[in-house]
Amino acid sequence: MTAKKMNSLQAVNSALAQAMAEDDKVLVLGEDVADREGGGVTGATAGLSTRFGDDRVKSTPISEQAIIGAAIGAALAGYKPVAEIMLMNFTTVCMDMIFNHAAKLRFMSGGQSTVPITIRTLTGAGWQTAGQHADHLEGWFAHTAGIKVVAPSTPADYKGLLLSCIQDPDPCIFIESAGSLFIPGEVDEVATPIPLGKARIVQEGTDITIISWSSQVLRCQAALPALAEAGISAELIDLRTVSPWDREAVLASVAKTGRALVAHEAVRDFGPGGEIAATIAEELFGQLKAPVRRLGAPKSPVPFAKVLEDAYIVSPDRVADAVKALMA
Amino acid sequence: MAELSNAPAPSPEALVDIYRRMIRIERNDDAIRKTIRLGRLVMPYYSARGQEVIPATISSLLTDDDKICTIYRGIHDMVAKDMPLRPLWAEIAGRVDGTCKGKGGPMHLTHPETGVMVTTGIVGSSMPIANGLAWAAKLDGSKRVTIAYFGDGASNIGAFHEALNLASVWKLPVIFVCQNNGFAEHTRYENGTSVDFIAKRAIGYGMPGHTVDGNDPLAMYAAAHEAITRAREGEGPTLLECKTFRFLGHVLGDDDKYMTKEEKAAAIAKDPLPAFKAWLVAQGHATEDQLAQMQAKIEAEVEDAQEFGLASPLPSVDELRRDVFAEEMPA
Ligand SMILES: Cc1ncc(C[n+]2csc(CCOP(=O)(O)OP(=O)(O)O)c2C)c(N)n1
């Protein structure tokens, strides 16, 4: 299989092209997604309407409820729409469609309705976009029954996981994160889908397990050299799918290391880290050598001033410090 | 408001079929209310008594292939679309033989075989989803149409405006059917809606809009025929505002304090059911006897469905984990 160097944004484009070529039920819709409108503000959908036609790649008005509603309706009629909600904060204006409809129609219909939609959306602090353009809201979605939450960190994962979301018979939210979007990696031109709900071990270790996802994985990775220098053997797990999450992989790792740190970019309080930490504590209470710790953003909106934004983000230094404190 | 074109007059058979659907709605509604009052069904019930003409007429122009998205006050829309009554009753009773195995209940029935795709309890949400079904019909190259039913209050929700705009830009085969019964919960029409006619709002979205007497089958037939034909021919969406009245308030047990006794009595005096029946007979389209026989058959169907639904077993508790996703979730 030929691999190519590309960044995650290009990997998204490549996944969409592959999925559309393989299955003519796959559709793309969202603001500016067609080539007439420039193929998306980030260029994630560039070239698709030219290649697959304006019927299958539809630019929409700025109408998030209408976008998700149209995706749901088309899905009920047998299509596999990939809807782009430009930024994750804008999912708040179509939460009814996502939460009350997409996520619940299978259950409420007793299994008759199937809503195989994928919602692609972008977020992430670090770009000084401030309060309304950079929140990590995976916790909202992970709390909802009926929707899968996927948050990759490498180009190969972006492609393989997006392919799985599109094929999945249920709604998936696919979180693209600004911090990981432009870092290149090797990606198969024709990729194999990566199963949802399966974590990736980024680095094996024996002293502590660090659990993370999305761009935060890259910051955790950046902390690894300092930990190695301090003589700490850390195992880093990229969850890849936040819901359902890979409990088996996490529990097996923590059973081995005896220590766990969950680090995410989302606000720490009531965040997904709490769920993971609580599960570890419930399942492995007797085997833990230290209490499970969580790192996340402070309970504050994403700030603008660079100095504040830097303090908001869970930096590699903070990851390293937390690990060292747990080892002490 | 756009002028109505000359839709063909309905045949006598079509008119009798509209009446059949109306009486099926009314007999079923009556049985549901009685069963609730007897304590044999426990559910919030949003009766559409008085609104029968609207879906009965529209459905008489639809096929099983055509789709509808409706709301909590939508059992009349489903019955009009010829949903079988046995699974309907089992569903409102929360039983395994229900359309949704008892997991959706009266506000969330789904029955794709008869085109009932979504029933929503969220005001205004039927419209964006109907658009997607209509988009799919277009992609399939079919002549299928989708109806989005909603109330007058729903036309003040953002989703209404987004959905009409998108449907118009995309020229979707969808018909937005507002059943304007004059009230949104307890709020009188003019206290919640900025325009004197909801159909006016169509102008803002570049589509035809008609205000129709929703209690007059002939007016409804003409308007629905035109909108459905337009949609089937690829000319895009229509907004139909069908004026009517709900005889039994917002929800069963509602004390109607927000309306006057006089206006309610006046509306009920114009009950479209007996009026249409008398007209059919006077026109010679059917005899009293034929209509009585039809009604008896429907009553038997309703009774059978009621017995079936109430006798159906309760769902097992493991159903909680089933149908959340296609694959079964671990506990
Ligand atoms: C988004 C939302 N807001 C409020 C409600 C509560 N509610 C249920 S029915 C209703 C009135 C809706 O009136 P209308 O659209 O005119 O329909 P009708 O009930 O008259 O058929 C309200 C406010 C709801 N279900 N959904």
Side-chain angles (χ1 to χ4, degrees):
Chain A
M1 210 172 284
T2 45
K4 234 174 122 177
K5 212 166 191 93
M6 60 176 83
N7 66 31
S8 295
L9 190 57
Q10 292 161 329
V12 166
N13 186 274
S14 162
L16 292 171
Q18 182 179 330
M20 294 190 84
E22 285 171 355
D23 182 352
D24 60 14
K25 292 290 185 189
V26 177
L27 310 173
V28 166
L29 73 162
E31 289 154 29
D32 295 338
V33 296
D35 290 328
R36 188 180 65 188
E37 284 75 32
V41 282
T42 57
T45 52
L48 298 176
S49 70
T50 303
R51 183 164 163 202
F52 298 104
D54 288 332
D55 285 341
R56 289 180 64 196
V57 181
K58 286 198 80 75
S59 283
T60 64
I62 307 160
S63 304
E64 282 75 12
Q65 300 189 64
I67 294 168
I68 303 299
I72 294 170
L76 291 175
Y79 287 85
K80 296 176 184 165
V82 183
E84 177 175 308
I85 297 295
M86 198 179 278
L87 292 178
M88 193 166 211
N89 285 72
F90 313 156
T91 61
T92 59
V93 305
C94 52
M95 224 34 194
D96 166 50
M97 282 294 140
I98 300 173
F99 176 78
N100 285 316
H101 295 91
K104 293 180 184 166
L105 284 173
R106 176 185 294 281
F107 185 86
M108 295 195 308
S109 68
Q112 295 179 90
S113 302
T114 167
V115 188
I117 68 170
T118 301
I119 302 169
R120 289 182 40 242
T121 192
L122 172 62
T123 195
W127 304 77
Q128 288 192 277
T129 48
Q132 297 174 342
H133 289 72
D135 280 304
H136 259 276
L137 303 176
E138 61 267 31
W140 286 23
F141 295 94
H143 188 68
T144 302
I147 184 162
K148 293 175 184 168
V149 185
V150 180
S153 69
T154 69
D157 280 4
Y158 267 81
K159 182 160 184 182
L161 290 165
L162 182 51
L163 289 171
S164 284
C165 289
I166 296 169
Q167 287 177 9
D168 196 89
D170 288 300
C172 295
I173 183 155
F174 184 84
I175 305 169
E176 299 165 16
S177 178
S180 58
L181 221 47
F182 301 104
I183 296 166
E186 292 284 314
V187 179
D188 287 337
E189 279 190 84
V190 179
T192 316
I194 295 171
L196 303 180
K198 291 275 172 263
R200 177 174 67 95
I201 312 256
V202 180
Q203 172 180 291
E204 291 195 26
T206 51
D207 293 331
I208 182 165
T209 305
I210 306 172
I211 302 125
S212 192
W213 56 88
S214 193
S215 296
Q216 189 63 40
V217 170
L218 307 177
R219 296 186 202 106
C220 292
Q221 234 172 333
L224 294 177
L227 295 177
E229 227 165 85
I232 300 168
S233 165
E235 177 143 309
L236 175 59
I237 297 183
D238 177 351
L239 224 43
R240 304 202 280 202
T241 306
V242 180
S243 178
W245 60 283
D246 195 341
R247 289 163 56 113
E248 263 173 45
V250 169
L251 293 175
S253 173
V254 181
K256 175 179 77 178
T257 61
R259 294 182 186 85
L261 171 74
V262 191
H264 56 58
E265 186 172 317
V267 166
R268 193 197 68 167
D269 296 16
F270 299 93
E275 173 64 26
I276 294 164
T279 305
I280 295 170
E282 279 171 0
E283 300 290 326
L284 300 174
F285 181 67
Q287 300 169 59
L288 290 173
K289 296 174 191 150
V292 184
R293 255 200 91 181
R294 290 163 298 146
L295 282 179
K299 200 167 186 179
S300 135
V302 183
F304 171 71
K306 194 67 196 146
V307 57
L308 296 179
E309 197 187 37
D310 287 347
Y312 180 90
I313 291 172
V314 180
S315 64
D317 284 350
R318 278 180 61 204
V319 173
D321 289 348
V323 170
K324 285 177 191 160
L326 275 170
M327 292 303 300
Chain B
M1 237 107 343
E3 284 296 312
L4 284 179
S5 70
N6 297 323
S11 65
E13 294 72 39
L15 290 163
V16 172
D17 181 57
I18 293 170
Y19 180 75
R20 175 187 67 81
R21 293 173 200 265
M22 285 169 64
I23 198 76
R24 193 163 175 261
I25 295 168
E26 190 273 337
R27 290 287 79 208
N28 192 62
D29 174 84
D30 187 67
I32 291 176
R33 282 186 281 120
K34 282 193 178 128
T35 315
I36 293 172
R37 292 231 152 94
L38 289 171
R40 297 182 69 204
L41 263 182
V42 179
M43 62 185 252
Y45 186 52
Y46 305 91
S47 167
R49 185 65 196 88
Q51 303 186 187
E52 293 86 353
V53 171
I54 302 162
T57 311
I58 290 172
S59 299
S60 76
L61 290 157
L62 300 178
T63 69
D64 272 0
D65 240 14
D66 294 318
K67 312 289 184 204
I68 69 170
C69 292
T70 185
I71 62 167
Y72 50 89
R73 194 188 312 285
I75 287 181
H76 62 318
D77 302 327
M78 301 163 206
V79 174
K81 194 83 178 41
D82 276 335
M83 187 195 267
L85 299 184
R86 278 183 162 204
L88 187 156
W89 272 81
E91 188 59 32
I92 64 178
R95 308 302 171 107
V96 288
D97 296 306
T99 54
C100 310
K101 305 188 214 161
K103 298 195 211 183
M107 284 202 257
H108 308 295
L109 286 106
T110 296
H111 194 257
E113 298 95 284
T114 44
V116 179
M117 301 307 288
V118 174
T119 301
T120 179
I122 308 291
V123 169
S125 292
S126 58
M127 295 160 264
I129 300 176
N131 274 347
L133 288 157
W135 179 29
K138 221 174 141 159
L139 287 164
D140 289 346
S142 89
K143 296 242 173 222
R144 206 159 73 221
V145 301
T146 303
I147 309 289
Y149 288 115
F150 55 98
D152 47 296
S155 85
N156 298 318
I157 286 239
F160 166 91
H161 299 275
E162 289 195 14
L164 265 68
N165 183 62
L166 183 99
S168 184
V169 173
W170 288 11
K171 272 197 155 206
L172 296 177
V174 57
I175 298 125
F176 300 105
V177 178
C178 174
Q179 304 193 23
N180 180 355
N181 56 30
F183 291 89
E185 218 165 82
H186 300 187
T187 301
R188 193 174 280 283
Y189 177 89
E190 57 273 24
N191 294 332
T193 306
S194 60
V195 283
D196 51 356
F197 291 103
I198 284 170
K200 261 189 190 171
R201 290 189 162 158
I203 297 166
Y205 301 106
M207 71 176 75
H210 304 292
T211 298
V212 194
D213 179 349
N215 288 351
D216 175 352
L218 293 174
M220 270 307 303
Y221 189 91
H225 188 279
E226 165 157 323
I228 292 167
T229 307
R230 211 182 110 77
R232 289 205 204 286
E233 286 173 4
E235 289 164 37
T238 301
L239 171 62
L240 289 183
E241 175 190 20
C242 312
K243 295 195 108 168
T244 183
F245 199 91
R246 25 156 245 223
F247 293 169
L248 293 155
H250 175 60
V251 66
L252 203 64
D254 186 326
D255 59 12
D256 285 4
K257 275 208 182 94
Y258 49 87
M259 61 170 79
T260 67
K261 282 200 177 68
E262 293 72 28
E263 70 184 318
K264 187 173 166 179
I268 293 173
K270 286 191 278 178
D271 189 341
L273 255 146
F276 189 43
K277 182 180 178 188
W279 183 87
L280 285 175
V281 174
Q283 295 292 309
H285 295 326
T287 63
E288 286 272 5
D289 217 37
Q290 284 166 338
L291 297 183
Q293 272 177 36
M294 177 189 275
Q295 178 163 335
K297 238 173 100 183
I298 286 168
E299 279 167 359
E301 184 196 5
V302 171
E303 199 173 316
D304 162 76
Q306 177 193 37
E307 275 168 30
F308 174 86
L310 296 175
S312 168
L314 296 168
S316 99
V317 176
D318 357 308
E319 282 298 328
L320 275 174
R321 283 184 287 120
R322 233 166 260 149
D323 302 324
V324 175
F325 291 111
E327 69 272 22
E328 199 164 321
M329 285 285 107

